[in-house]
């Protein structure tokens, strides 16, 4: 059974690596994903080789470099194994059954995120932002990385946290929040454990110089991290939208529907039809309808922002008004939160 | 007509069940074949972290731990 006091990574992934010392000290992580279709867009063999070489350097410099590894270690958790989550308790054995039932005996990693969210949901508490928007991608703070290297920055988005910190393309990100960076996954780990608002330090190598800077994380920075592709978002859809899957509506389409570009427009591309995922269907929502208002909000939202809002602002059992557009006519439904 | 609809529904349900069983079997075979492959591969330690750790302690080498979800 997975030791969660040691191995913590992005549990929506189907592939993840750890570079470690025999004493269980973690040097770094590797493995990143940001869509279902293109699973390897943040990874390359060249990048892995560079990360492995970086891990070997950290191994050579250990334990003198331990301060730069301290925050790479697993965060404190009260769930020592997946079996300790209340909703998973007793459902899986502590060992895999390498027989006919091997598939059934294997817990899916994403179930741990769902189980942890349920702890809060069932207690009628808001799901923490860190758990709603896990393992933020570098682009969340305005960085696009060169995936063939361990930390070279390819692009910096204007007006982002990274650009305001003075970080530039071709800089090499050496540390983030005082952690040695070997990969995109390491950046994600540092961001995952960063505060919901505040400042984190960064060191970049620019030519032969090392430049120290600080990144200011403003409230809501996490919700720029797209979670719509994640398997675990199915459960958030059940909880908040009653089983609806949305896709964005382009500005030109918005204009056709007389919706301002800064206003909400998300098109229903799937309507859940069984079990607890059919709440919206039973309320009358249909494929192709366009969500134009939710709980009185009609500002532009991504699917991530919609799911995050519903999961953090409403408790199970509450009714949330949502307004949709169908055939030029607006109609309103009440969606029961689960 | 009702009988025809019922028969078609049963046929569709049976097809879904057969397909699901087929997916389960493919996944089971993938996992078991994967294990078989690594059991005879002395380069990797499969599903035994403490054995890998003991080897790393003995050799002084670092560990590369890989988690994979087979399709």
């Amino acid at each position: 059974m997975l030791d969660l006091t040691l191995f913590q990574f992005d549990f929506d992934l189907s592939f993840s690596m750890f570079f470690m010392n025999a004493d269980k000290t973690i040097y770094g992580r590797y493995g990143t994903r940001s869509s279902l279709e293109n699973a390897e867009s943040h990874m390359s063999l060249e990048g892995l080789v560079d990360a492995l070489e970086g891990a070997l350097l950290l191994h050579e410099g250990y334990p003198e470099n331990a301060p730069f590894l301290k925050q790479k270690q697993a965060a404190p958790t009260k769930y020592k194994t997946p079996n300790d989550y209340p909703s998973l308790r007793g459902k899986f054995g502590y060992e895999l059954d390498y027989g006919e039932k091997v598939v059934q005996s294997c817990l899916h990693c994403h179930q741990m995120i769902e189980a942890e969210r349920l702890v809060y949901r069932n207690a009628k508490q808001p799901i923490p932002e860190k758990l709603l928007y896990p393992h933020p991608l570098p682009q969340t703070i305005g960085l696009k990385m060169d995936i063939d290297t361990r930390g070279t920055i390819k692009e910096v988005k204007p007006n982002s946290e990274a650009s305001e910190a003075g970080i530039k393309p071709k800089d090499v990100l050496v540390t983030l929040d005082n952690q040695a960076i070997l990969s995109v996954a390491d950046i994600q780990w540092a961001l995952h454990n960063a505060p919901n608002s505040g400042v984190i330090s960064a060191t970049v190598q620019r030519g032969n110089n090392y430049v120290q800077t600080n990144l200011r994380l403003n409230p809501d920075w996490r919700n720029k991290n797209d979670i719509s592709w994640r398997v675990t978002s199915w459960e958030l859809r059940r909880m908040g939208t009653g089983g609806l899957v949305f896709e964005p509506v382009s500005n030109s389409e918005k204009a056709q529907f007389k919706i301002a570009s800064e206003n909400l427009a998300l098109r229903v591309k799937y309507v859940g039809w069984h079990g607890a995922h059919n709440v919206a269907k039973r309320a009358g929502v249909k494929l192709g309808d366009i969500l134009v208002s939710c709980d009185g909000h009609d500002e532009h939202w991504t699917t991530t922002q919609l799911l995050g809002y519903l999961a953090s602002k409403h408790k199970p059992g509450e009714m949330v008004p949502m307004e949709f557009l169908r055939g030029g006519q607006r109609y309103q439904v009440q969606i029961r939160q689960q | 007509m009702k009988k025809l609809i019922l028969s078609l529904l049963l046929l569709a349900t049976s097809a879904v069940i057969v397909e699901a069983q087929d997916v389960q079997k493919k996944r089971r075979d993938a996992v078991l074949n994967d294990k078989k492959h690594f059991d005879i591969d002395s380069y990797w330690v499969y599903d035994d972290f403490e054995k890998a750790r003991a080897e790393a302690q003995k050799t002084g080498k670092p560990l590369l731990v890989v988690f994979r979800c087979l399709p």
Side-chain angles (χ1 to χ4, degrees), chain A residues 2 6-7 9 14-24 27 56 59 98-100 102-104 108, chain B residues 24 27-28 31-32 35 44 46-47 49-50 53 56-57 60-70:
Chain A
L2 189 65
L6 181 59
F7 295 112
F9 54 98
S14 50
F15 169 85
S16 185
M17 281 180 170
F18 282 77
F19 315 129
M20 302 177 76
N21 186 285
D23 71 2
K24 298 187 180 179
Y27 296 136
L56 287 174
H59 187 61
Y98 283 110
E100 285 299 302
V102 66
V103 173
Q104 291 88 332
H108 291 247
Chain B
Q24 287 277 339
R27 293 188 67 202
R28 183 200 65 197
V31 175
L32 294 180
K35 183 175 179 348
W44 291 92
Y46 189 87
D47 202 11
F49 180 57
E50 287 310 316
R53 222 158 68 81
Q57 263 162 347
K61 291 181 181 175
L63 283 156
L64 171 63
V65 181
V66 184
F67 293 94
R68 298 175 306 145
C69 186
L70 291 178

Side-chain angles (χ1 to χ4, degrees), chain A residues 315-326:
Chain A
K315 294 171 186 162
E318 292 179 359
M319 302 300 281
V320 172
M322 294 188 194
E323 194 169 54
F324 289 86
L325 192 62
R326 183 191 300 159

Side-chain angles (χ1 to χ4, degrees), chain A residues 5 38 64 79 92 128 136 140 183 190 224 233 285 306-307 312 332:
Chain A
T5 65
N38 194 358
E64 288 75 18
Y79 306 106
F92 297 90
T140 311
S183 65
K224 288 185 280 175
S233 290
V285 182
L306 172 71
L307 295 176
S312 57
Q332 199 176 81

